[in-house]
Structures are given as structure tokens and as C-alpha cells.
């Protein structure tokens, strides 16, 4: 079974993406369903501090990556915490 892993810095998560969706919501780049389960992570296709690849409207693009394709590790400091940049 082939396996490929890619390590990404926390900066790749689109922390500014917060919005409601038809089936839940997105909070700080993490998408949740109506039951509060993580269903996707909004990831930039390029490092936001590196080479700027702009979309036609301006800005760097992020896209949802299914949560079952992400191994997200961070230090939990409180219940219900959504990881933030610089907090491990």
C-alpha cells in the first residue's frame, strides 16, 4: 500500500476563514459538521509567507482538504480549542 506524507507548517491553515456553511460552519480554517465533527481543513496551496500565487480576485487561495486526509497534531490547552498559529 503506497503512503505519502507531507509535513506542513501551521501557517498553511487558513486561520482567517470563518463562516457558516449549509452543513455546519468553518472556524479558523477548520470545518465542522452540524454535530461538531471536523470534516475538512482549509489549507493554502502555497505558503502564505513565501511565493505569492494570486487568484483573479487577489489574495492567496485556500481549499478544503478532507479531515480524514489530515493528521493534525497540536497541544490541547483547553476543551473545545481550535488550534491557533504559534501554539504548537
Amino acid at each position: 500500500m503506497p503512503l505519502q506524507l507531507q509535513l506542513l507548517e501551521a501557517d498553511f491553515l487558513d486561520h482567517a476563514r470563518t463562516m457558516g456553511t449549509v452543513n455546519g460552519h468553518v472556524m479558523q480554517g477548520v470545518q465542522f459538521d452540524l454535530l461538531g465533527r471536523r470534516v475538512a481543513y482549509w489549507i493554502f496551496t502555497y505558503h502564505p509567507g513565501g511565493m505569492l500565487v494570486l487568484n483573479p480576485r487577489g489574495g492567496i487561495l485556500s481549499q478544503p482538504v478532507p479531515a480524514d486526509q489530515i493528521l493534525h497534531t497540536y497541544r490541547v490547552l483547553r476543551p473545545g480549542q481550535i488550534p491557533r498559529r504559534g501554539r504548537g
Side-chain angles (χ1 to χ4, degrees):
M1 174 188 291
L3 175 67
Q4 179 178 343
L5 299 176
Q6 181 179 7
L7 297 176
L8 298 175
E9 295 179 53
D11 292 346
F12 276 88
L13 184 63
D14 186 354
H15 295 277
R17 186 171 293 269
T18 296
M19 63 187 184
T21 67
V22 173
N23 298 321
H25 66 281
V26 179
M27 181 67 67
Q28 298 176 356
V30 182
Q31 186 168 338
F32 298 91
D33 67 11
L34 293 172
L35 298 176
R37 295 176 294 206
R38 294 170 190 242
V39 294
Y41 290 84
W42 285 80
I43 305 293
F44 291 116
T45 53
Y46 295 92
H47 190 284
M51 180 176 73
L52 295 179
V53 176
L54 303 178
N55 70 27
R57 296 182 185 177
I60 301 173
L61 295 172
S62 64
Q63 58 189 9
V65 176
D68 64 0
Q69 294 181 18
I70 301 284
L71 177 59
H72 187 190
T73 61
Y74 62 97
R75 181 178 297 145
V76 178
L77 302 175
R78 60 179 173 75
Q81 172 185 339
I82 299 171
R84 296 185 60 110
R85 188 181 338 229
R87 294 207 175 187

